[in-house]
Amino acid sequence: MTSPPLLEVEGLTTTFDTDGGTLTAVDGVDFSVDEGETVCIVGESGSGKTVATESITRLVREPPGRVAGTVRFKGRDLLAMPDDELREIRGDEIAHVFQNPQESMNHCYTVGWQIAEALRVHRDVSDDEARARATDLLDRVGIANASARFDDYPHELSGGQKQRAMIAMALVGDPDLLIADEPTTALDVTVQAQILKLLDELQAEFGMGVLFVTHDLGVVAQIADRIVVMYAGKVMERGGVLDVFDHPAHPYTRRLLDCVPELGGDGGGIPGTLPDPRDPPDGCRFAPRCAHAEPACRTDGQPEEIDVRPGQRVSCVHYRDGRDPSVLGEDPAGAGSDSNEVTSGDD
Amino acid sequence: MGFGRYVVARTLWAAAVSLIITTITFLLLAAAPNPQVQEAATQAALQGGDPAEAAERARELRGLDEPLYVRYADFVRGVYTLDWGWAESRSQPVTEALAQGLYYTAQYSVPWTILTVLIGPLVGVYSAANMYSWKDHAATGFAFFGYAIPNFFFGIILLLIFGVWLEAIPIVYNTDVPVFSVRNAVQLAVPVFVLVTGSIGAIMRVSRNESAEFQNADFMKTAKAKGVSPLRAYAYHVMRPTLVPLSTTLVGQLLALFLGSSLLVEVVFGIPGIGRVTYDALIAQDTNLVLGSTLAFTFVAVVGNLLEDIVFTVLDPRISYDDR
């Protein structure tokens, strides 16, 4: 019997009340992260990845947001606990790194002050101790001359340096889980590689579980242990990164991999657009854009997840008992051979 | 350029501005006919003397026969050494008359300024935090009311209610009361309240709208993710950036009110402050005193703007001192 996962998310549902009706951004999503493991949530923009991760520690603004389901972290349900208890966990046991380092720091305070703040709100430390720890981390995340940069304001740092500082801020409480939401998206390519390498090293050093959100499958290949493919607020497929990359089962995963030239795809997009989150299609969310959709795909909600390989599960009717998944094309291994067959969706 | 050099440069510029103002004042004064010289000429004519000779004598007596640049140098020296001349209407030096007025003006100006500066931003940020709730609407209503109603009119109404009908406050300001006493606080409460409502509206609105932007900023999400409590997040991460744009509004508002509304409020409540001194000098056509109070107000404005610029750079670290 293995120990329970570090983070266990079940039936996570996040809705937003808008003037145009209730918008369901995340719809009954399950996933888990083990200690020291990296799990990547992938999917195109608007698929609910960010909202899902921000719902874990209830960073989502409530109202208009509403988060339901259970999020067990070290056995405690984060969604059921009072705010002040959850606040103890935020930034201490669970830390976040966000997408846009340019906007994620307050322009009125020095970088060091903001890093030290994360420590000060959780521990009773002296100014000197907080400064020493923050400087130490700035140094650790690769900022040269850290003790001098402590007193710099965010606008005096480059984008890459800012993201390094944000990572230092996240690590200051020695978290058990790091949630990184597209931390490299706003950075240029050379810096991206450095930040990824840094995160990889830090994960080993700090022994953290990492939940990594990205739409960049090239990044996933580098860092992930397991991957969760999301589309329109639902999980389409999940599994070990090698299994999913070598044997993508869901048509959406296959299309997604086709989009990445580095993985052997043709770099083309997926025709059609995401469904309206206020009025999602019945049946499989991807059916309107799927070349292999049939009547069974359009009713009875998102199909149940079916094991296709140990640890790899897919939500697609074609894998049900008695069905032949080869209609989806032979296991493409990311070759992107049949992308021409994709028809445009329902619009 | 470092901060120190910026402050020095900005201060020198403020000094230059004050000199320009002094110069313009002098030129206007030199170009205008001097009523005392005309009076001397009229007197001479009435008594059968030579009006031209009498005018000449009057001019000599006041040094007006000197060349313009000598008179200018004297005038500037006088302004900067606080030798502002004799206030005929009050039979005392102008500076003394102004100092006496300031003594009373400060008694209500210091409280209303402190109250406005403390309460305005707090209520504004609170309003933003509860945007579109009844609390926000109530604060907004109060802000617009104070902003819209003329101070002197509001003062008269309150004086009527509390002074005449309820007889809770004296109708005429009593200068015999000690500065730090309950009676003085009671008689100043209404003017202070009137000025606070007049000044706080704009400050509340600016704080509310600016902080509304910052409370939705990404760095607030960062703060929340760090485990910062909502109260601390508002105090540090919303209030602080809000103070940057607010500092400009704040100084402008306070100066406008100090220079403008104070006079009306002093007249309504009968406070013998600096506004009242100016008003009486205007009625009595006491040129030196009018000039003195005008210069005093102008210098307050120059110093206020100087402080505003310095505070602005201290509050917003992104402002560069270069090219200024």
Side-chain angles (χ1 to χ4, degrees):
Chain A
M1 188 68 200
T2 52
S3 58
L6 178 67
L7 178 80
E8 201 172 11
V9 173
E10 271 171 25
L12 185 67
T13 302
T14 307
T15 55
F16 294 94
D17 294 324
T18 68
D19 291 340
T22 301
L23 180 156
T24 307
V26 177
D27 194 356
V29 164
D30 309 331
F31 57 85
S32 66
V33 181
D34 286 333
E35 279 173 36
E37 180 191 40
T38 302
V39 174
C40 274
I41 301 184
V42 300
E44 64 197 280
S45 303
S47 54
K49 313 178 296 272
T50 295
V51 176
T53 55
E54 289 183 359
S55 299
I56 291 171
T57 52
R58 290 216 311 260
L59 293 184
V60 169
R61 200 181 298 276
E62 295 170 287
R66 216 169 331 130
V67 182
T70 54
V71 174
R72 263 190 300 280
F73 176 73
K74 295 182 181 172
R76 292 170 293 173
D77 187 353
L78 302 185
L79 299 186
M81 68 174 51
D83 265 347
D84 48 349
E85 222 172 295
L86 183 55
R87 206 152 58 224
E88 299 285 308
I89 291 174
R90 287 186 195 131
D92 192 34
E93 293 176 72
I94 301 180
H96 281 261
V97 175
F98 297 104
Q99 190 173 139
N100 188 351
Q102 309 291 348
E103 308 290 329
S104 294
M105 267 193 255
N106 192 324
H107 54 265
C108 286
Y109 297 99
T110 63
V111 172
W113 186 93
Q114 295 187 61
I115 295 172
E117 184 186 34
L119 194 61
R120 271 196 301 262
V121 295
H122 293 294
R123 314 227 172 117
D124 194 14
V125 290
S126 70
D127 287 355
D128 288 345
E129 282 166 332
R131 191 185 173 98
R133 170 88 174 142
T135 308
D136 191 36
L137 275 161
L138 276 174
D139 185 52
R140 183 61 201 85
V141 298
I143 288 184
N145 199 6
S147 61
R149 303 315 290 271
F150 181 97
D151 294 311
D152 277 359
Y153 287 94
H155 70 275
E156 295 170 286
L157 267 54
S158 70
Q161 284 175 321
K162 261 184 236 172
Q163 195 60 299
R164 285 174 193 271
M166 288 300 294
I167 292 170
M169 195 187 291
L171 295 179
V172 84
D174 200 356
D176 299 306
L177 176 67
L178 179 70
I179 299 177
D181 182 5
E182 308 213 24
T184 59
T185 306
L187 305 172
D188 63 48
V189 184
T190 49
V191 181
Q192 280 188 12
Q194 292 167 10
I195 297 286
L196 286 177
K197 185 160 168 286
L198 175 67
L199 281 172
D200 212 32
E201 289 168 14
L202 292 170
Q203 176 174 26
E205 187 180 326
F206 286 74
M208 305 173 287
V210 174
L211 183 60
F212 199 99
V213 176
T214 183
H215 60 260
D216 184 344
L217 291 166
V219 168
V220 176
Q222 283 179 51
I223 61 162
D225 296 314
R226 287 192 298 126
I227 132 172
V228 176
V229 181
M230 272 184 77
Y231 180 80
K234 291 276 194 192
V235 174
M236 296 289 125
E237 182 170 0
R238 71 181 79 227
V241 66
L242 294 177
D243 289 335
V244 174
F245 272 44
D246 289 344
H247 310 285
H250 199 282
Y252 177 65
T253 315
R254 294 183 183 184
R255 294 293 86 76
L256 212 54
L257 288 168
D258 282 346
C259 297
V260 188
E262 293 90 333
L263 300 175
D266 60 6
I270 306 173
T273 54
L274 279 159
D276 181 357
R278 288 184 197 88
D279 182 23
D282 191 16
C284 177
R285 294 287 161 88
F286 188 59
R289 293 169 79 181
C290 183
H292 310 288
E294 53 181 68
C297 297
R298 303 190 200 278
T299 53
D300 294 336
Q302 187 67 35
E304 71 287 356
E305 289 188 28
I306 299 157
D307 283 300
V308 289
R309 199 166 271 104
Q312 187 181 0
R313 296 157 70 82
V314 60
S315 162
C316 179
V317 298
H318 295 289
Y319 292 87
R320 280 178 182 157
D321 279 345
R323 302 292 296 266
D324 179 13
S326 65
V327 298
L328 303 173
E330 278 311 311
D331 198 354
S337 53
D338 55 356
S339 59
N340 296 338
E341 296 168 24
V342 178
T343 56
S344 65
D346 57 343
D347 53 349
Chain B
M1 200 183 348
F3 179 66
R5 281 186 62 192
Y6 169 74
V7 172
V8 170
R10 188 62 190 73
T11 309
L12 288 176
W13 172 238
V17 168
S18 76
L19 186 64
I20 291 168
I21 292 165
T22 309
T23 307
I24 293 172
T25 315
F26 169 76
L27 289 175
L28 287 174
L29 216 56
N34 189 319
Q36 288 160 334
V37 173
Q38 282 171 323
E39 202 181 298
T42 313
Q43 283 290 330
L46 284 174
Q47 288 161 11
D50 180 3
E53 194 184 317
E56 194 53 42
R57 218 172 27 251
R59 290 170 65 84
E60 248 171 69
L61 201 65
R62 292 173 177 78
L64 295 178
D65 55 337
E66 301 274 353
L68 205 59
Y69 69 89
V70 175
R71 284 165 55 200
Y72 176 64
D74 277 351
F75 183 80
V76 170
R77 191 183 313 118
V79 166
Y80 286 103
T81 55
L82 289 183
D83 177 12
W84 289 8
W86 188 257
E88 299 278 359
S89 63
R90 294 171 65 103
S91 301
Q92 63 183 160
V94 167
T95 43
E96 206 179 296
L98 292 176
Q100 276 177 7
L102 192 62
Y103 177 71
Y104 294 105
T105 299
Q107 285 181 34
Y108 70 87
S109 291
V110 171
W112 79 252
T113 308
I114 291 175
L115 286 175
T116 299
V117 170
L118 284 184
I119 299 173
L122 278 178
V123 177
V125 171
Y126 181 78
S127 216
N130 297 286
M131 196 168 265
Y132 304 126
S133 69
W134 68 268
K135 296 166 190 160
D136 178 30
H137 290 309
T140 303
F142 178 75
F144 281 141
F145 172 77
Y147 201 52
I149 193 165
N151 282 319
F152 71 92
F153 178 65
F154 192 35
I156 290 171
I157 290 178
L158 291 181
L159 204 56
L160 186 66
I161 296 172
F162 292 102
V164 178
W165 293 345
L166 299 179
E167 292 179 11
I169 56 163
I171 296 167
V172 177
Y173 181 80
N174 183 355
T175 53
D176 298 335
V177 171
V179 177
F180 296 103
S181 65
V182 177
R183 283 180 63 203
N184 198 31
V186 168
Q187 68 179 357
L188 287 176
V190 174
V192 166
F193 180 73
V194 166
L195 286 163
V196 167
T197 48
S199 61
I200 212 168
I203 288 158
M204 274 166 57
R205 292 304 292 171
V206 172
S207 342
R208 175 187 180 273
N209 297 343
E210 293 291 340
S211 58
E213 191 186 316
F214 293 123
Q215 72 178 351
N216 292 322
D218 279 355
F219 56 70
M220 279 296 274
K221 193 163 74 183
T222 306
K224 194 175 178 186
K226 277 197 280 194
V228 171
S229 68
L231 188 65
R232 186 187 160 96
Y234 271 100
Y236 283 84
H237 292 280
V238 174
M239 192 59 114
R240 175 64 198 274
T242 300
L243 287 177
V244 178
L246 188 63
S247 65
T248 51
T249 316
L250 200 66
V251 175
Q253 271 291 311
L254 296 185
L255 281 179
L257 215 60
F258 180 66
L259 307 182
S261 306
S262 301
L263 181 132
L264 295 171
V265 168
E266 283 179 11
V267 170
V268 168
F269 290 96
I271 302 170
I274 204 160
R276 187 67 202 238
V277 167
T278 310
Y279 176 75
D280 290 343
L282 281 167
I283 300 294
Q285 296 192 337
D286 186 339
T287 312
N288 283 345
L289 191 49
V290 172
L291 195 65
S293 58
T294 311
L295 281 176
F297 281 133
T298 321
F299 290 149
V300 167
V302 170
V303 171
N305 282 309
L306 170 67
L307 289 178
E308 173 190 317
D309 277 7
I310 291 173
V311 166
F312 196 65
T313 51
V314 170
L315 287 177
D316 192 346
R318 291 173 304 180
I319 291 176
S320 111
Y321 312 116
D322 300 327
D323 311 322
R324 293 270 215 117

